[in-house]
Amino acid sequence: MAKAGRPPQDPARQLERAHRILDAAAELCLRWGYDKTTIDDVARRADVAKGTIYLHWKTRELLFAALVRRERVRMLGEVRERAPANLHELLRELVGGVLRRPLMKALILGDSAVFGKLSRQKQNSAAAFEQGAAFETYLGELVGRGVLRSDLAPAEHLAILVSVVYGFLITQNMLPEEMRTPEDRLAELVADTAIRAMGADGVPPDGDARAVRLATLGYLDTIEEIAQRKLAVSLGAKERVT
């Protein structure tokens, strides 16, 4: 017989309860913000005891880290289902995915009204290193295929991408509601601008186009696997936030 206060031994029930708690945390974070949302609030909304949450996550920080990781996994899953065939399509789908998910958008923009102190914490994790290495490999493949400019270093390609993405998103957020670009169009503009700045002249041969598609999907598979692994750890509450 399971001891009182222990999580349910059935892994499926345990996972279902963890997701129910995360659903409650997501709703309250968007409504009140991270700084004002307490474990008591989440417990009431999820209809569980406060102590039950601590059986899954030892701290509030770990709970919300799991929430962020789940959002990232879900977004990447949606992007992978759309099967982008090149960097332009990948950027369009990634930016569109962020814009469709309020929590991801708030995290990317460092929205303190939603994520508060959590958005200001520096993250320097092994996962971030792995994702950066995978992206550098992907960019190298595109340069080798003649898709991207070879006169730019990987760091310069990354600087362009970050500047374009954040420039559009931050500017959009500063404009009055009636002047904002529809989100689907905004994602397309981000992708167009980045490719115009980074792309090589000419169209790659059909063979290279097929290779680029495989490289793009391979990159997505890699970062999705990294994100899923980090989420699995968070749901098992076996690791500190890094």
Side-chain angles (χ1 to χ4, degrees):
M1 180 180 297
K3 294 183 180 180
R6 293 282 179 86
Q9 296 303 305
D10 179 0
R13 287 181 57 205
Q14 220 172 341
L15 186 61
E16 183 279 330
R17 190 174 68 182
H19 280 294
R20 179 154 45 93
I21 293 168
L22 292 178
D23 289 341
E27 178 184 332
L28 296 178
C29 189
L30 286 171
R31 185 189 304 173
W32 297 335
Y34 170 80
D35 291 348
K36 294 181 181 179
T37 300
T38 67
I39 292 292
D40 288 305
D41 297 327
V42 176
R44 280 193 295 270
R45 187 70 186 89
D47 195 24
V48 299
K50 179 179 179 180
T52 298
I53 295 180
Y54 287 119
L55 292 173
H56 287 274
W57 300 282
K58 293 181 180 179
T59 67
R60 187 173 71 116
E61 184 183 28
L62 283 169
L63 164 63
F64 280 91
L67 174 60
V68 168
R69 288 173 173 178
R70 188 180 72 165
E71 284 295 298
R72 185 176 293 115
V73 164
R74 289 180 172 181
M75 185 199 75
L76 289 174
E78 290 176 355
V79 172
R80 183 60 178 81
E81 286 181 1
R82 293 172 182 261
N86 50 51
L87 182 58
H88 181 281
E89 293 180 9
L90 175 65
L91 292 175
R92 184 187 65 207
E93 297 302 338
L94 284 174
V95 173
V98 167
L99 292 174
R100 286 190 295 270
R101 291 188 168 275
L103 286 175
M104 286 301 299
K105 182 178 178 182
L107 187 68
I108 291 294
L109 292 176
D111 189 344
S112 59
V114 176
F115 276 111
K117 296 175 183 177
L118 195 66
S119 70
R120 296 188 291 272
Q121 291 176 350
K122 293 182 180 179
Q123 301 212 359
N124 183 23
S125 66
F129 178 80
E130 290 178 84
Q131 290 167 347
F135 188 64
E136 186 172 340
T137 298
Y138 172 56
L139 288 182
E141 175 75 5
L142 299 188
V143 170
R145 295 287 173 181
V147 177
L148 297 183
R149 289 169 53 184
S150 59
D151 61 318
L152 295 176
E156 293 172 324
H157 280 297
L158 181 59
I160 290 172
L161 279 175
V162 171
S163 299
V164 171
V165 172
Y166 278 85
F168 271 97
L169 295 186
I170 291 173
T171 300
Q172 176 88 341
N173 218 36
M174 294 170 60
L175 293 173
E177 188 72 34
E178 64 274 12
M179 294 182 63
R180 294 181 183 177
T181 305
E183 292 184 347
D184 286 347
R185 179 57 179 160
L186 185 68
E188 187 72 35
L189 289 174
V190 170
D192 283 348
T193 303
I195 295 302
R196 287 175 184 274
M198 299 166 57
D201 293 332
V203 179
D206 289 344
D208 283 341
R210 287 192 293 271
V212 166
R213 179 178 182 275
L214 291 175
T216 302
L217 296 178
Y219 166 68
L220 265 177
D221 288 341
T222 298
I223 62 172
E224 187 179 12
E225 187 277 329
I226 293 169
Q228 288 172 341
R229 176 158 34 91
K230 297 297 286 186
L231 175 59
V233 170
S234 279
L235 292 177
K238 297 176 182 176
E239 182 180 281
R240 294 169 56 191
V241 174
T242 57

